Amino acid sequence: MTGTDEPDAPGESAKVPTDDVPGDWPVELAGVTESLVTTLGPNGRWNVAPLGLFADDPVTATTWGRTRTRRNVERTGEGYVQFVTDPVTFVDAALSIVEVDDPILERAHAWARVEFERTASGTEDGTEWVRWKLTPVESVVVSSGVPTLSRGLGAVVEASVAASRLDVPGYDDAACRRTIAHANDVVERAGSPREREAFDRLVAHVDAALELE
Amino acid sequence: MTGTDEPDAPGESAKVPTDDVPGDWPVELAGVTESLVTTLGPNGRWNVAPLGLFADDPVTATTWGRTRTRRNVERTGEGYVQFVTDPVTFVDAALSIVEVDDPILERAHAWARVEFERTASGTEDGTEWVRWKLTPVESVVVSSGVPTLSRGLGAVVEASVAASRLDVPGYDDAACRRTIAHANDVVERAGSPREREAFDRLVAHVDAALELE
């Protein structure tokens, strides 16, 4: 990013940032909110990955294993947390390596530049986890709308979580596959075109991963 | 309702309707969007029930069995379709009889007064379904915000659908119970206080229903 005070606006003029609240989150957090975080890699590009935000005080997030997100925040101490509900963007970030030139995703409804501070770590089922305290230092609301409930979107998210746990120690593979199958039923019955596209990509990512083994 | 031109504003002043677009939906529909519909019962009160909106052209919805929603729209030809993301309101409407004095729900982010026209019917697994064409004649956006992804909210919705299918012919009871159990895990791990409250109520409704048998 060339200037955090003047974030590159995405292509559509309707999406020019409309609100700037330094030091605060751009959305109300409760329970766990699924976000995507961009972190700067050693190659100068921004890695995109899911990050669950725990609405503790302060907000925390946990990385599992030596992921790119963890390595990047260990090196840079920061990332851009984005609120994205586009199912295709979410699936790609959850199940493949996505790197972009600009830290702000085109589909972000809101984002926050966040400082990461390591507060705890441990090992579970052989995977080292690190808990981070997240402090927003800049935040922008890009677009808002009327919130609605979509079973298809929920199914895509749930299936992405399950797919990312396939063959991971500590998770029941059969249960993950049942979750994905149920989500497939929901998306076939109730999914929007974009949710169907996301599910197709999810299946492609999982197949690709299985073929690599 | 005493005057559809001047809907009773809910208690909070921040929620006074801000937009009025007759003849259009107040939100963008794609795939199936889960709504709650209020329909006027013969007792003069408004029944609240879930209604999945299919984003066909025109928008359609299907009622299953001789529900209150179906009987009320057969008699009155209309209902108020509302976009609500509050998990407790959704669970109560899905799994219990809810009747209110005002057709507009306090938690609605947006609503539309809709004319229902019967377009098809049939029988599946012994349940008579009716498909309705929905035509909005008045619509209001009450509040908007930054859309976010919550696994807890998705889990509550999915569990509500599964719970409403328990002991219904044509649905696999064991699969419904697995869905509810998985949702319980998600809510325990990632749920907000409001999502936890909704799940507790879901369990109470299901227990109450099972005891009535």
Side-chain angles (χ1 to χ4, degrees), chain B:
Chain B
M1 189 167 194
T2 51
T4 51
D5 294 331
E6 297 178 348
D8 287 346
E12 299 158 62
S13 60
K15 285 194 161 189
V16 170
T18 55
D19 194 11
D20 195 331
V21 187
D24 218 340
W25 290 96
V27 305
E28 204 172 313
L29 300 176
V32 181
T33 302
E34 304 303 322
S35 77
L36 296 180
V37 66
T38 49
T39 53
L40 188 60
N43 62 355
R45 304 195 75 206
W46 295 85
N47 183 72
V48 188
L51 191 70
L53 309 177
F54 285 72
D56 303 323
D57 186 17
V59 170
T60 65
T62 302
T63 51
W64 294 84
R66 291 195 56 75
T67 58
R68 282 160 190 255
T69 298
R70 171 172 154 193
R71 285 178 279 148
N72 290 345
V73 299
E74 278 174 347
R75 205 181 55 256
T76 68
E78 66 166 31
Y80 286 78
V81 169
Q82 345 230 342
F83 299 91
V84 177
T85 55
D86 176 54
V88 172
T89 306
F90 190 85
V91 162
D92 284 351
L95 299 172
S96 68
I97 306 296
V98 179
E99 290 182 324
V100 292
D101 293 327
D102 190 284
I104 311 300
L105 300 171
E106 203 184 329
R107 296 266 183 174
H109 298 300
W111 56 267
R113 184 158 69 89
V114 167
E115 289 175 358
F116 283 67
E117 185 186 329
R118 185 181 180 125
T119 60
S121 61
T123 301
E124 196 173 315
D125 293 310
T127 300
E128 194 189 1
W129 56 265
V130 177
R131 183 166 306 130
W132 306 87
K133 183 180 97 172
L134 273 54
T135 306
V137 291
E138 179 190 5
S139 81
V140 170
V141 172
V142 179
S143 62
S144 58
V146 176
T148 56
L149 292 179
S150 157
R151 289 183 66 206
L153 181 57
V156 167
V157 171
E158 212 48 40
S160 298
V161 172
S164 71
R165 290 172 176 173
L166 288 172
D167 304 316
V168 174
Y171 291 105
D172 178 349
D173 227 55
C176 289
R177 285 175 195 282
R178 270 203 307 270
T179 297
I180 295 170
H182 176 71
N184 188 29
D185 289 345
V186 172
V187 171
E188 278 190 1
R189 210 183 149 77
S192 69
R194 191 76 179 163
E195 288 156 4
R196 288 164 196 271
E197 182 186 345
F199 206 89
D200 288 345
R201 294 177 73 93
L202 180 151
V203 171
H205 288 316
V206 171
D207 282 352
L210 294 180
E211 277 168 20
L212 286 174
E213 281 172 13

Side-chain angles (χ1 to χ4, degrees), chain A residues 34 50 84-95 150-164 176 179-188 190-203 205-206, chain B residues 149-151 154-155 158:
Chain A
E34 303 303 322
V84 177
T85 55
D86 176 53
V88 172
T89 306
F90 189 84
V91 161
D92 284 351
L95 300 172
S150 157
R151 289 182 66 205
L153 181 57
V156 168
V157 171
E158 213 49 40
S160 298
V161 172
S164 71
C176 289
T179 297
I180 296 170
H182 176 71
N184 188 29
D185 289 346
V186 172
V187 170
E188 278 189 2
S192 68
R194 191 77 180 161
E195 288 156 5
R196 288 165 195 272
E197 182 187 346
F199 206 89
D200 288 346
R201 294 177 73 95
L202 180 151
V203 171
H205 289 315
V206 171
Chain B
L149 292 179
S150 157
R151 289 183 66 206
E158 212 48 40

Side-chain angles (χ1 to χ4, degrees), chain A residues 37 39 47 49-54 60-74 116-124 127-134 171, chain B residues 189:
Chain A
V37 66
T39 53
N47 183 73
L51 192 70
L53 309 177
F54 286 71
T60 65
T62 303
T63 51
W64 295 84
R66 290 194 56 75
T67 58
R68 283 160 190 254
T69 298
R70 171 172 154 192
R71 285 177 281 148
N72 291 345
V73 298
E74 279 174 346
F116 283 67
E117 185 186 327
R118 186 181 179 123
T119 60
S121 61
T123 302
E124 196 173 316
T127 300
E128 194 190 1
W129 57 265
V130 177
R131 183 166 306 131
W132 305 87
K133 182 180 97 173
L134 273 54
Y171 291 104
Chain B
R189 210 183 149 77

